[in-house]
Amino acid sequence: MQYSLAGQVLTLDARNHGSSPHSPLMTYEAMSLDVQHLLTQLGIHKCILVGHSMGGKTAMVLALQRPDLVERLISVDISPTSTTLISEFPAYISAMKSVNIPAGLTRSAARQLADSQLSSVVQDPQLRQFLLTNLVEVEGRYIWRVNLDAISHHFADIMSFPVFHKPYPGPALFLGGSKSPYISEVEPEGAPEIQRLFPKADVQFIEGAGHIVHQDKFEEFITAVLNFLPSP
């Protein structure tokens, strides 16, 4: 299937993730400022924000702080509330810290060994594969490119959501997975907060998708996003 999208598409790594710099500070206010600074540097005066999970919360914070910068908002499988459903994540972080990969292994062998070491704690194979995308080789040894120490230190901040009183006035799409509990199906307080802070929000669920909606049901995800975007 082919997709046509007018305009420029930017993919951002959050601080302490991917190729972005590491920082001891990891709050949604700080991550929102990171995006604002990038938009300023690139001379972008208005954009459409798409964010998944923690990225979705960052996008919501930016839209609520600076609605003048955000034409439309898409939050993927996350609501503007405290997230209490993934208490196992500290255990996942501890398991990632304990992974021990000897030097000299091929990338394939290193990933296989890390997968085996994680499996007793991270039992979902799909989630393990997602975490293993962060295993990288640097100067002959394998490390995690995410800043696990900063994430651990700010875990409560990441799970929470800042307090806002003034709503975002623009169009918003909350796109959840039908098999995921992260929007209103298991978080009943999520739906009122979505309506309070994003009164023009449309909440949709993609059938058969879990938390990583864009991976589980890629075609359906792209279709929903394109249907929400303004006509070129």
Side-chain angles (χ1 to χ4, degrees):
M1 183 177 291
Q2 293 184 334
Y3 303 102
S4 177
L5 189 62
Q8 185 179 27
V9 178
L10 303 176
T11 304
L12 281 60
D13 289 332
R15 61 170 59 197
N16 297 317
H17 288 71
S19 300
S20 288
H22 285 191
S23 167
L25 179 63
M26 195 166 179
T27 64
Y28 287 114
E29 292 87 348
M31 289 186 280
S32 170
L33 281 174
D34 290 340
V35 181
Q36 292 179 47
H37 291 156
L38 179 63
L39 294 175
T40 299
Q41 291 173 10
L42 297 177
I44 298 173
H45 304 293
K46 214 170 187 65
C47 67
I48 297 171
L49 285 180
V50 183
H52 168 255
S53 197
M54 185 188 78
K57 285 189 174 183
T58 301
M60 285 186 270
V61 169
L62 175 52
L64 290 163
Q65 287 179 328
R66 292 290 308 275
D68 56 302
L69 294 176
V70 182
E71 179 183 342
R72 287 172 181 245
L73 168 72
I74 303 174
S75 177
V76 183
D77 208 56
I78 204 72
S79 63
T81 59
S82 293
T83 305
T84 59
L85 300 165
I86 51 175
S87 58
E88 69 271 18
F89 258 70
Y92 295 169
I93 293 171
S94 295
M96 292 170 73
K97 287 183 175 181
S98 68
V99 166
N100 183 18
I101 307 294
L105 292 183
T106 64
R107 177 172 174 78
S108 174
R111 283 179 61 100
Q112 190 172 10
L113 180 57
D115 182 68
S116 175
Q117 293 179 18
L118 289 173
S119 62
S120 62
V121 177
V122 187
Q123 297 179 357
D124 182 349
Q126 190 176 44
L127 179 57
R128 287 201 307 275
Q129 292 306 307
F130 177 72
L131 296 177
L132 286 169
T133 61
N134 292 286
L135 187 67
V136 296
E137 184 181 5
V138 177
E139 297 179 352
R141 64 190 186 96
Y142 288 91
I143 63 171
W144 298 105
R145 63 180 177 176
V146 289
N147 187 345
L148 294 174
D149 289 334
I151 294 171
S152 297
H153 183 71
H154 284 281
F155 191 75
D157 293 314
I158 295 169
M159 293 298 100
S160 66
F161 191 78
V163 175
F164 288 95
H165 300 289
K166 188 175 181 180
Y168 167 69
L173 171 64
F174 285 78
L175 190 58
S178 69
K179 292 184 176 180
S180 172
Y182 289 107
I183 299 189
S184 61
E185 293 185 326
V186 175
E187 289 187 281
E189 74 277 12
E193 277 299 277
I194 289 173
Q195 293 304 321
R196 183 180 73 85
L197 292 174
F198 303 93
K200 293 185 179 178
D202 180 17
V203 180
Q204 299 179 18
F205 292 93
I206 293 183
E207 189 63 35
H211 182 53
I212 311 177
V213 183
H214 46 289
Q215 176 178 293
D216 294 346
K217 295 290 182 179
F218 177 76
E219 300 287 349
E220 293 88 341
F221 171 79
I222 292 294
T223 297
V225 168
L226 292 180
N227 287 341
F228 176 72
L229 297 181
S231 300

